[in-house]
Amino acid sequence: IMRAAIMLSLIAIGKYYYNYYSNASINIMGVSAFILLLFDPYVLFDVGFLLSYFALLGILIFEPLITELYNGKNVVIKKVWQLCSVSISAQITTLPVTLCFFHQLPLWFVFSNLLVIPLCTAIMFLGVLFILKISLVATLINSLTKLVYFFVGLTDSPGLGYLEGIDFNFRDVLFLSGIIVLLFLLLRHRNFQLALGVLCLVIMWQTFNLLEVTGKKQHSALAIYQVNKAYFVEFKNGTKVLIDSTCNLSDYEFHVKNN
């Protein structure tokens, strides 16, 4: 919300006082991030801040390139493809963040967003009408919100909806981010050196991972969590893991699982 409010304010100022053009959107996004960091530098480590800005960056950079892949004249298909390209673009640039913090990979994000994005748009416009205190609007908002949760729930099951337990650390974030940047440049310039750079990064990344996996198979560790007056103990010896816990499922999901 803060990012959107600051960016819209900057765009409004740019259109009113200066010769604003759409190519300046990335600059405006950067300025809005700088303003937020001036007030609170630690927001840089907030997951919501990272996801918001990386998603928008992906949409600004990759969405035009992906949308251009379909040049048909059918208006409905073009609109559906544009929604798909927005979802794919945001997923590309937020992937390092989501893998690092949540260790999960969504499988059906494109299809769920085709339903969720139009519904959320309708809810936002109805929210403006809600200011007029029309009772029917509140009923519609509640019904659409339940529908959003229903569609999200269809793709929110382990195994079918997303892959979980993905081992992904800060080094992986750097490698994957570098690959994404080089892939973007490769799509723009179609350069052999850039393709070679992508291949080299992938080989280096997987080499580091193989060495790490080999070391972890020989590693022993004891982890103890104290969560809401309960405990979770994990003892790892090589490839064998023993677990003892008095945590309930929700505490385990929120406090322990990602580790």
Side-chain angles (χ1 to χ4, degrees):
I1 293 172
M2 290 187 290
R3 174 191 60 74
I6 294 173
M7 285 191 66
L8 286 172
S9 301
L10 292 173
I11 289 172
I13 292 170
K15 285 186 175 181
Y16 190 80
Y17 293 103
Y18 304 98
N19 186 22
Y20 170 79
Y21 55 96
S22 59
N23 290 337
S25 296
I26 293 179
N27 291 337
I28 289 176
M29 184 191 73
V31 171
S32 68
F34 181 73
I35 292 172
L36 288 175
L37 289 168
L38 279 178
F39 282 95
D40 182 9
Y42 288 102
V43 77
L44 182 63
F45 303 100
D46 183 86
V47 181
F49 175 88
L50 295 174
L51 288 176
S52 177
Y53 275 96
F54 277 107
L56 182 59
L57 182 64
I59 292 169
L60 292 175
I61 292 176
F62 287 103
E63 189 271 332
L65 296 173
I66 298 174
T67 302
E68 288 176 0
L69 296 176
Y70 176 75
N71 297 317
K73 296 182 179 180
N74 189 298
V75 178
V76 176
I77 296 178
K78 285 186 71 173
K79 189 62 180 177
V80 171
W81 177 244
Q82 187 177 14
L83 282 173
C84 291
S85 65
V86 169
S87 299
I88 295 169
S89 302
Q91 188 65 39
I92 289 172
T93 47
T94 57
L95 188 60
V97 179
T98 54
L99 288 176
C100 183
F101 283 97
F102 306 112
H103 306 285
Q104 295 178 346
L105 177 66
L107 301 176
W108 305 102
F109 62 92
V110 173
F111 302 103
S112 59
N113 285 345
L114 283 176
L115 302 171
V116 170
I117 291 176
L119 286 173
C120 288
T121 304
I123 290 170
M124 285 192 292
F125 281 109
L126 287 171
V128 177
L129 295 176
F130 184 70
I131 299 173
L132 302 176
K133 297 183 179 180
I134 303 173
S135 59
L136 178 62
V137 173
T139 304
L140 284 173
I141 289 175
N142 289 335
S143 300
L144 291 176
T145 302
K146 290 178 181 178
L147 201 56
V148 168
Y149 278 113
F150 172 75
F151 286 133
V152 170
L154 291 177
T155 59
D156 193 29
S157 57
L160 296 175
Y162 57 87
L163 301 177
E164 61 178 348
I166 300 173
D167 188 10
F168 207 85
N169 55 35
F170 185 68
R171 186 191 65 233
D172 297 317
V173 170
L174 295 178
F175 272 112
L176 183 55
S177 300
I179 290 170
I180 290 172
V181 171
L182 288 180
L183 283 174
F184 165 69
L185 295 174
L186 182 61
L187 288 172
R188 289 289 299 271
H189 303 291
R190 307 297 175 91
N191 189 295
F192 175 75
Q193 282 80 8
L194 290 172
L196 192 61
V198 172
L199 181 61
C200 290
L201 268 183
V202 170
I203 292 173
M204 288 173 60
W205 184 19
Q206 295 309 307
T207 301
F208 276 112
N209 284 340
L210 286 172
L211 293 173
E212 184 179 14
V213 168
T214 303
K216 282 185 176 180
K217 285 183 177 180
Q218 312 298 325
H219 186 249
S220 298
L222 174 66
I224 303 173
Y225 302 84
Q226 183 180 2
V227 182
N228 294 335
K229 298 182 180 180
Y231 68 84
F232 184 94
V233 179
E234 176 189 16
F235 179 74
K236 178 182 177 296
N237 184 20
T239 57
K240 295 181 180 180
V241 178
L242 298 177
I243 291 173
D244 185 27
S245 173
T246 59
C247 290
N248 58 45
L249 183 60
S250 61
D251 283 339
Y252 166 75
E253 291 277 346
F254 188 81
H255 296 285
V256 180
K257 185 175 180 180
N258 286 343
N259 295 309

